[in-house]
Amino acid sequence: AMLKHIVAFFFVMFSTVSLAGEQIDLTELNQIVEQTNFIVNRGCSGTLVDLKNKLVLTNYHCIDDNVSIVEKEETNTEGVVRKFKSKKYADVILEQNGYNGFDKVSTAMYIGEIVAEQKTVDLAIVKIKSDIPHKTASKILPESMKVVRGEGVYAVGNPGGMDATIVRGIVSNLNRTFEFPWTDNTKLPMIQFSGGIYGGNSGGALYNDGGYLIGVPAAGFSAANFIGLAIPVDVVRKFMAKNCLAEAFDDKADNAKCIEEKKAKEKKSKE
C-alpha cells in the first residue's frame, strides 16, 4: 500500500488557500496537528474535519483497497429478478502516536467506516465508529475567503511514515490541472505549493497562515521535490456538500435533512 502512495506522490497534486488575516500562533498550530492528523491505513494521512460527526478527510487513493464491487439481486413486486452492482466498504484503520520527548509512548487506534468517496476527485470521508477524546477539528476555509498565490502555507501529514510532520511553504500557482491514472484520467484542478511532499503525505492537510485547511495534498514530483500539489478546498466543499456532510464547514447545514431530501429524490426517480 505504501508503494502505491509513493507512486502517487511521484506524479502530482494539491489544494487551496485564503487571505490569511491574522497568522495562526504556532502553539495553536501544533495543537491542531496533534489533534487532527491521522495515519490512514498505515501508509497515508487524514485530517479530522468534523468533531461532532467524527469525520476524517483523506484521499480516495488512500482507501481504494477498502472499496470493492459486489453483485446483488433484487426482486420486484411482479417477481422479476434484477441483478445490479453495489459497493462494499471494508473498515479503515486510523492511528495517532503519542510522544514524550523523543520517545513514542503510545499509539491510539481507531476503526472507521467510509461514508463518502469519489475516485474522480480523489477524496474520501471516513467516520470514526467509537467515541473520541479529541477537542479540536481542522477548520475548512469558508467560501468567503480566497486562496492567493504567494501566501504562506503549512503542509501536514506523515511522509515516509514520519507522523505529524509540518513543512513550511507558499502557494506557488493556482492554475494547474492534471489528469491522473488513479482518478480515471479525470481533469482535476490543483494547487501547486512549495516545500514539497513525499509518499505518506497523501490525504493530509494544507493550511494557510490563518490556520484554515485550504487543500488536500495528493502528489508531487520526484524530479523536483520542492513542488507539491493539493486538491483545492472548493473541490473538498463541493464533495462534502454533495454527500450531505456540509456541517463540517457550514453552520446552517443540516446533514440529516440533506440525507432525507436526497432519499426522497431517489425514490421519486424510481417511480
Side-chain angles (χ1 to χ4, degrees):
M2 175 62 99
L3 177 60
K4 176 168 57 183
H5 307 316
I6 291 176
V7 170
F9 151 76
F10 283 145
F11 204 95
V12 203
M13 218 145 101
F14 204 26
S15 110
T16 349
V17 145
S18 92
L19 286 172
E22 287 188 24
Q23 183 158 341
I24 189 171
D25 175 82
L26 289 182
T27 300
E28 183 182 355
L29 176 64
N30 276 283
Q31 290 174 344
I32 291 171
V33 173
E34 290 170 5
Q35 286 270 307
T36 68
N37 178 71
F38 283 83
I39 303 165
V40 176
N41 279 338
R42 297 181 172 139
C44 258
S45 304
T47 307
L48 182 66
V49 294
D50 186 329
L51 199 60
K52 172 188 169 186
N53 296 300
K54 300 175 292 185
L55 302 181
V56 174
L57 172 67
T58 189
N59 285 136
Y60 177 90
H61 74 258
C62 292
I63 56 87
D64 59 351
D65 286 342
N66 300 75
V67 182
S68 58
I69 305 297
V70 295
E71 193 171 271
K72 294 184 177 181
E73 293 183 351
E74 68 176 9
T75 305
N76 65 16
T77 53
E78 298 175 350
V80 177
V81 177
R82 180 179 72 91
K83 291 185 177 182
F84 64 98
K85 293 180 179 180
S86 66
K87 292 181 179 180
K88 182 179 179 181
Y89 300 121
D91 286 341
V92 177
I93 298 173
L94 304 168
E95 296 171 293
Q96 287 183 319
N97 294 324
Y99 294 87
N100 181 10
F102 292 100
D103 298 320
K104 185 170 78 171
V105 295
S106 65
T107 298
M109 181 184 293
Y110 302 91
I111 302 299
E113 58 181 338
I114 299 169
V115 294
E117 46 81 16
Q118 187 175 340
K119 184 177 183 180
T120 54
V121 295
D122 198 17
L123 291 173
I125 296 288
V126 178
K127 181 181 178 67
I128 298 173
K129 290 184 174 184
S130 62
D131 291 335
I132 57 175
H134 302 67
K135 305 296 182 185
T136 300
S138 294
K139 297 180 295 182
I140 296 173
L141 186 77
E143 283 189 70
S144 60
M145 301 178 75
K146 302 299 179 185
V147 176
V148 177
R149 183 170 56 187
E151 67 179 319
V153 294
Y154 299 94
V156 175
N158 313 307
M162 293 191 289
D163 58 303
T165 294
I166 302 175
V167 176
R168 179 68 164 153
I170 64 169
V171 174
S172 303
N173 192 282
L174 294 168
N175 306 115
R176 307 294 186 214
T177 59
F178 294 90
E179 298 174 15
F180 303 107
W182 60 89
T183 59
D184 293 335
N185 295 310
T186 304
K187 183 179 286 188
L188 279 178
M190 302 298 290
I191 290 179
Q192 178 186 333
F193 63 97
S194 71
I197 59 174
Y198 188 75
N201 269 115
S202 290
L206 186 67
Y207 296 104
N208 67 5
D209 272 336
Y212 285 98
L213 187 148
I214 60 165
V216 179
F221 287 102
S222 59
N225 57 17
F226 56 88
I227 293 176
L229 297 165
I231 300 167
V233 68
D234 56 335
V235 176
V236 173
R237 286 193 302 258
K238 288 176 184 176
F239 165 72
M240 295 187 72
K242 175 184 175 182
N243 287 281
C244 297
L245 301 171
E247 287 180 4
F249 58 87
D250 184 354
D251 292 337
K252 296 179 181 179
D254 186 330
N255 290 357
K257 184 179 179 181
C258 174
I259 292 170
E260 288 178 9
E261 291 174 349
K262 194 173 181 179
K263 287 181 178 178
K265 286 182 180 179
E266 290 175 353
K267 184 179 180 181
K268 189 173 182 180
S269 66
K270 291 180 180 180
E271 292 176 352

